[in-house]
Amino acid sequence: MHRTFTMADQRDFAALSGDHNPLHVDPIAARRLLFGSCVAHGVHVLLWGLDVLLAGAAGTVEAPGPAGTPGSADFTDVIALKADFRNPVPVDAVAEIVDMRRDGNGLAFKVVARGQTALTASATLAPRSPAACSADLPVARDAAFGERCDDPDRASLASLSGTTPLALDADLCARLLPGLARALPGARIAALLAATRIVGMRCPGLHSIFKGLDLTFSGPDAGPDAGPDAGPDAGPVLAFRTAEYDERVSRLDVAVQGPGVRGALAAFVRPAPTAQSSAAEVAGEVAAGEFSGQRALILGGSRGLGEVTAKLLAAGGAEVCVSFHRGEQDAQRLVRELATVGPAARCIRFDILAEPARMAADLAGALGAWRPTHLYVYATPPIFVAAKKVFDHTLFDAFCACYVKGFHNAVQAVLALGPGLEHVLYPSSTAIDEAPLNMGEYAAAKAAGESMCAFLAKAHKKTAFHAPRLPRLATDQTASVLAVDNKNPVPYLLSALREMNAKA
């Protein structure tokens, strides 16, 4: 069984669960977060697996005692559930349920996506008797969860606590998860939805990655109430508190308890988007007028290495035009900042994956009479998306579409504007030399891009091509939950710019 989680699915599940974390529902914000694009809610992937499997399991578990006695079951219930969210499921990637195992009252399965294990889960099943059905905890149809994530500072993570309502829109649940809605009590589903809401919206909230859950369920016994200020009509809630926060690995363990449910959630605190050095800061590294006379077109210049390059060039007196694909606000913010250290800059929309004729027409229309003397190509898809020790040819093709075909077409589009393009910088990578086991596709595509540079240099002798191999530099792409050696990009890029300038 497989499926693809779309952005429409993301919005629907956010409406059902109340988890509106931008990692899942905001493509513009997510491009600067840890995975480089929106990913499915881990709990959504888990509930989809349960939905598929419990739809087939309903009515198959026998209750203790002779068949037909009052204790016999008509439905299957889950009394314990464990899940480990190992890797993200990107939006529009195919997820597949594999390794399904049924052993007595136990159920286990795994979900894979893009060659990686995304989820492992196990459940303990039990019959849901008519008595249990009638005693099912009532939950509110909806609640005012809000769409703004909490953003607690790290100092407060060790002592976070609170409650969230147990609520379930039964109609929406039946539409999105029909098998689950038929098989499980509403309170079970409401508790699982509350779990993703706690992690994604409250604890740790904005900068969260859901790592796993371990929950046990019982009858609708008394649980924590909504608190003295909640009002007389407040319904049942799931209470949470930080059980442990390990700052060394950015891990947060959260204890939860509510009517008929208790257990633990695990999450990581993901890094915030990487803030590059300001234009004023990098200006101190550049000699006045060092890059004057350049008309620099920086493709993929709204953030990351392109952003730093723009600041260095502007501080050195270059005329700068940066392109963006989706991050218009980032690009406009950068243009305003560049004007504080150098000549007036501009930004344009550009898609390096567009068809060549469309690319050339869009570029000519956007630039007007302005003609670049220098081209810098930083446009890139998310980098760290591969599985270890596996070469994914589809992923390699995606990298090549940007680093080889897109690069070639972009150069041709600029050359088509007329004479005057003197230099092209193609940022390559030391990953070609290091061959990391989780970056084979990326390294191979970057090497192919270097070969394209050599080909273009021979074909266009009036334009010099430069492909410096850069180490792992600090950008949104290289951010990690664990500490890694991400180097300051300013000295490396400045060195590359100066070396290229010296060959003018």
Side-chain angles (χ1 to χ4, degrees):
M1 176 63 68
H2 62 273
R3 71 168 290 178
T4 299
F5 291 87
T6 66
M7 280 308 304
D9 294 327
Q10 296 300 98
R11 291 188 288 270
D12 284 342
F13 188 76
L16 179 66
S17 67
D19 182 357
H20 296 273
N21 194 290
L23 180 65
H24 306 301
V25 299
D26 187 342
I28 302 300
R31 83 192 213 289
R32 298 204 60 180
L33 303 179
L34 191 62
F35 306 123
S37 63
C38 284
V39 299
H41 301 74
V43 169
H44 192 185
V45 179
L46 171 65
L47 295 184
W48 164 63
L50 290 173
D51 179 70
V52 171
L53 300 179
L54 289 182
T60 63
V61 178
E62 294 183 0
T69 64
S72 62
D74 295 319
F75 299 96
T76 299
D77 197 0
V78 172
I79 59 174
L81 181 62
K82 293 183 179 180
D84 183 12
F85 306 118
R86 296 190 178 184
N87 288 289
V89 176
V91 168
D92 294 331
V94 177
E96 183 179 7
I97 301 173
V98 299
D99 292 350
M100 293 172 283
R101 299 186 303 278
R102 182 71 183 273
D103 181 14
N105 66 341
L107 182 70
F109 65 95
K110 181 165 69 174
V111 175
V112 298
R114 285 189 174 176
Q116 302 183 93
T117 298
L119 161 73
T120 58
S122 61
T124 302
L125 306 180
R128 183 152 67 108
S129 67
C133 293
S134 63
D136 186 16
L137 174 72
V139 293
R141 178 177 177 82
D142 53 44
F145 298 128
E147 297 185 10
R148 185 178 181 86
C149 300
D150 290 350
D151 186 13
D153 59 66
R154 296 220 171 194
S156 67
L157 290 176
S159 57
L160 288 179
S161 63
T163 62
T164 190
L166 288 173
L168 180 66
D169 182 333
D171 292 338
L172 181 57
C173 183
R175 178 168 70 84
L176 301 182
L177 302 161
L180 201 69
R182 290 192 300 268
L184 290 189
R188 299 278 191 272
I189 303 172
L192 290 167
L193 297 174
T196 189
R197 191 164 60 250
I198 288 170
V199 171
M201 303 293 287
R202 304 286 303 279
C203 181
L206 180 61
H207 302 296
S208 62
I209 301 174
F210 207 157
K211 178 64 177 70
L213 57 82
D214 185 353
L215 301 175
T216 57
F217 301 95
S218 58
D221 54 315
D225 60 29
D229 301 322
D233 297 326
V237 300
L238 188 64
F240 64 88
R241 63 173 179 81
T242 298
E244 184 177 0
Y245 173 48
D246 189 340
E247 191 170 7
R248 297 168 302 171
V249 294
S250 300
R251 177 173 170 134
L252 197 68
D253 291 306
V254 182
V256 294
Q257 181 180 357
V261 58
R262 65 177 61 237
L265 316 176
F268 287 114
V269 184
R270 69 172 186 258
T274 301
Q276 300 294 350
S277 300
S278 69
E281 289 169 336
V282 305
E285 305 294 324
V286 182
E290 185 173 355
F291 301 116
S292 61
Q294 276 198 37
R295 294 189 297 276
L297 174 59
I298 305 173
L299 302 182
S302 65
R303 61 189 178 110
L305 301 186
E307 172 191 349
V308 176
T309 297
K311 292 172 180 176
L312 290 167
L313 292 173
E319 295 179 31
V320 174
C321 176
V322 299
S323 86
F324 63 90
H325 182 211
R326 292 180 296 174
E328 182 174 5
Q329 290 185 348
D330 289 335
Q332 291 178 342
R333 189 181 307 113
L334 175 60
V335 164
R336 292 191 295 270
E337 186 178 1
L338 296 180
T340 66
V341 296
R346 60 191 297 197
C347 63
I348 62 171
R349 188 182 300 275
F350 183 83
D351 181 5
I352 202 164
L353 300 181
E355 290 301 313
R358 171 72 180 275
M359 182 186 293
D362 287 350
L363 194 60
L367 294 180
W370 191 84
R371 295 291 181 266
T373 58
H374 291 65
L375 175 65
Y376 303 83
V377 185
Y378 290 103
T380 180
I383 292 173
F384 292 97
V385 293
K388 285 187 176 181
K389 299 183 180 180
V390 175
F391 193 93
D392 184 333
H393 290 272
T394 301
L395 181 57
F396 173 66
D397 290 343
F399 282 132
C400 285
C402 181
Y403 299 147
V404 185
K405 180 181 178 181
F407 170 67
H408 168 268
N409 292 342
V411 171
Q412 294 298 117
V414 174
L415 289 170
L417 296 172
L421 182 62
E422 300 171 5
H423 293 272
V424 175
L425 186 140
Y426 170 90
S428 190
S429 173
T430 57
I432 296 173
D433 307 303
E434 298 158 358
L437 289 177
N438 64 336
M439 299 185 74
E441 303 89 344
Y442 169 79
K446 278 293 186 181
E450 288 187 2
S451 295
M452 177 58 71
C453 280
F455 168 80
L456 290 170
K458 284 188 175 182
H460 304 282
K461 295 188 179 297
K462 292 184 178 181
T463 303
F465 288 78
H466 312 266
R469 290 186 178 178
L470 302 172
R472 180 168 174 152
L473 304 176
T475 69
D476 295 332
Q477 290 268 24
T478 58
S480 172
V481 169
L482 302 178
V484 292
D485 184 20
N486 288 335
K487 302 181 185 302
N488 179 1
V490 172
Y492 291 92
L493 292 177
L494 183 55
S495 176
L497 298 181
R498 284 173 170 164
E499 182 178 349
M500 187 170 73
N501 215 38
K503 295 178 180 179

